[in-house]
Amino acid sequence: MFYKIVIEQFSKSLTNLSQILEKTAKQAEAKKVDFTVLLNTRLIADQFSLLRQVQIACDTAKLAAARLAGKEAPVHEDNEASISEIQERIASVVTYLKSYSQIDFDAAADRKITQPRWEGKYLTGEEYLLNHAIPNIYFHITTAYAILRSNGFEIGKKDYLGELPYKI
Amino acid sequence: MFYKIVIEQFSKSLTNLSQILEKTAKQAEAKKVDFTVLLNTRLIADQFSLLRQVQIACDTAKLAAARLAGKEAPVHEDNEASISEIQERIASVVTYLKSYSQIDFDAAADRKITQPRWEGKYLTGEEYLLNHAIPNIYFHITTAYAILRSNGFEIGKKDYLGELPYKI
């Protein structure tokens, strides 16, 4: 299930986020609101801005794929300053995710995952995915959504979930 | 992975939410803020209140377990009006989740999942878990968190993620 969650579903969720940004950017234009104001908007002063929420959502997906597959993730400089630049960031991460195959995750469940701030401690790949990567990506996507939603933009849960693969 | 996600991880996430509510309730008391005001607080007028976000997070977990296992979920009346009542609601759902075993999910991946508003269409159990249940529960928990966080309460990402099962 690693490939389906980290590659297929995280790509879908980031694409949904990209479409939410596109939709709200059009609404902002109609309201004559500069979207860079929104990119720097926060729910409260000591929480991250919309721009940073999107960057972290991207990094959560990118690093989950790389760490679980035992690869090195590409570096992003976090220097986006416009809607088009942040859309490119999302697109580049979705393209990166799609470079992975099922077999890249064959050893993911038991792989030891660590990061600098964990000071040498580790989680298994499965623990990392369930306890860390999944809750984190949805935290940052939902917070990005909340910043836009609380500013009166017309977006809804359907935009967040995206299309569901219904069968008849 | 169904049991680990729907039972173990969703229980953990709801328990983290319960602890966030307990922590902010203490802070509210110190500020002489009536917590029922917070339970009725929204990020914006046409989005659900904190109380409703918690109820939906609970229902998402309860219904995911029941639907994926082919069982009938217990009914909750959505009549909570205080911090202690909403804490009881969370506790009852966590207790319910813990009544499940691994084998209850043996047929979950291919089970046909539907709900009234899908008008007869269905998703497989795996599609439902990844596209619907997981994004939904974290949406509602994060929105509950955002309502409290944006009102200045001292909670952080660690409260949301809870303890990580680090190994040395």
Side-chain angles (χ1 to χ4, degrees):
Chain A
M1 219 185 255
F2 284 87
Y3 180 85
K4 285 190 178 167
I5 294 176
V6 176
I7 304 306
E8 292 181 359
Q9 184 59 35
F10 284 5
S11 292
K12 178 182 175 181
S13 297
L14 289 175
T15 303
N16 296 342
L17 175 60
S18 168
Q19 288 169 354
I20 286 169
L21 291 167
E22 190 187 337
K23 191 169 177 175
T24 49
K26 280 184 191 154
Q27 293 174 21
E29 210 178 320
K31 293 186 194 189
K32 304 198 187 307
V33 169
D34 181 353
F35 205 79
T36 54
V37 172
L38 287 164
L39 288 175
N40 291 298
T41 296
R42 301 154 191 263
L43 287 177
I44 190 163
D46 62 347
Q47 201 185 25
F48 287 134
S49 67
L50 173 59
L51 178 71
R52 192 84 193 100
Q53 299 292 346
V54 177
Q55 289 170 334
I56 301 175
C58 287
D59 278 356
T60 303
K62 173 182 82 177
L63 293 171
R67 286 174 180 152
L68 289 166
K71 300 194 180 191
E72 200 68 41
V75 173
H76 289 86
E77 299 293 343
D78 289 335
N79 55 4
E80 295 86 4
S82 68
I83 175 79
S84 62
E85 285 171 0
I86 198 72
Q87 291 285 30
E88 275 173 41
R89 169 75 171 264
I90 297 173
S92 82
V93 172
V94 170
T95 300
Y96 172 70
L97 292 176
K98 291 187 173 166
S99 72
Y100 281 84
S101 311
Q102 290 263 13
I103 52 164
D104 291 322
F105 299 97
D106 278 358
D110 299 317
R111 194 182 295 281
K112 291 183 181 180
I113 310 289
T114 190
Q115 50 175 301
R117 74 170 73 163
W118 293 353
E119 298 168 343
K121 292 172 291 184
Y122 71 92
L123 299 177
T124 67
E126 187 172 79
E127 290 166 346
Y128 167 71
L129 177 68
L130 304 193
N131 290 265
H132 194 272
I134 295 175
N136 256 327
I137 192 168
Y138 291 118
F139 180 93
H140 293 289
I141 293 175
T142 301
T143 305
Y145 174 100
I147 292 169
L148 293 165
R149 185 75 170 74
S150 68
N151 274 277
F153 289 94
E154 289 175 21
I155 49 177
K157 175 69 81 64
K158 276 189 183 172
D159 297 301
Y160 169 80
L161 289 179
E163 292 290 323
L164 298 180
Y166 292 122
K167 290 169 184 57
I168 299 171
Chain B
M1 219 184 255
F2 284 86
Y3 180 84
K4 285 191 177 166
I5 294 175
V6 176
I7 304 306
E8 293 181 359
Q9 184 59 35
F10 284 6
S11 292
K12 178 182 174 181
S13 297
L14 289 176
T15 302
N16 296 343
L17 175 61
S18 168
Q19 288 170 353
I20 285 168
L21 291 168
E22 190 186 339
K23 192 169 178 175
T24 49
K26 278 186 194 154
Q27 293 173 22
E29 209 178 321
K31 292 184 192 189
K32 304 200 188 304
V33 170
D34 181 353
F35 205 79
T36 55
V37 172
L38 287 165
L39 289 175
N40 290 297
T41 295
R42 301 155 191 264
L43 287 178
I44 189 164
D46 63 347
Q47 201 185 29
F48 286 133
S49 67
L50 173 60
L51 178 71
R52 192 83 195 99
Q53 301 291 347
V54 177
Q55 289 169 335
I56 300 175
C58 286
D59 277 356
T60 304
K62 172 183 81 176
L63 293 170
R67 287 174 179 151
L68 289 166
K71 300 196 179 189
E72 201 67 41
V75 173
H76 289 86
E77 300 293 342
D78 290 335
N79 56 3
E80 295 86 4
S82 67
I83 175 77
S84 62
E85 285 170 359
I86 199 71
Q87 291 284 30
E88 274 172 41
R89 169 77 169 263
I90 298 174
S92 81
V93 173
V94 171
T95 300
Y96 173 69
L97 292 176
K98 292 188 173 166
S99 73
Y100 282 84
S101 310
Q102 290 264 13
I103 54 163
D104 291 321
F105 298 96
D106 278 358
D110 299 317
R111 195 182 295 280
K112 292 183 181 180
I113 309 291
T114 190
Q115 50 176 303
R117 72 169 72 164
W118 293 354
E119 298 168 344
K121 292 172 291 183
Y122 71 93
L123 299 176
T124 67
E126 187 173 78
E127 290 166 346
Y128 166 72
L129 177 68
L130 304 192
N131 290 265
H132 195 274
I134 294 175
N136 258 327
I137 192 169
Y138 290 118
F139 180 93
H140 293 288
I141 292 174
T142 301
T143 305
Y145 174 100
I147 292 168
L148 293 165
R149 186 74 169 75
S150 67
N151 274 278
F153 288 94
E154 290 176 20
I155 49 177
K157 175 70 82 62
K158 276 190 183 171
D159 297 302
Y160 169 80
L161 289 179
E163 291 290 322
L164 298 179
Y166 293 123
K167 289 168 185 57
I168 299 171

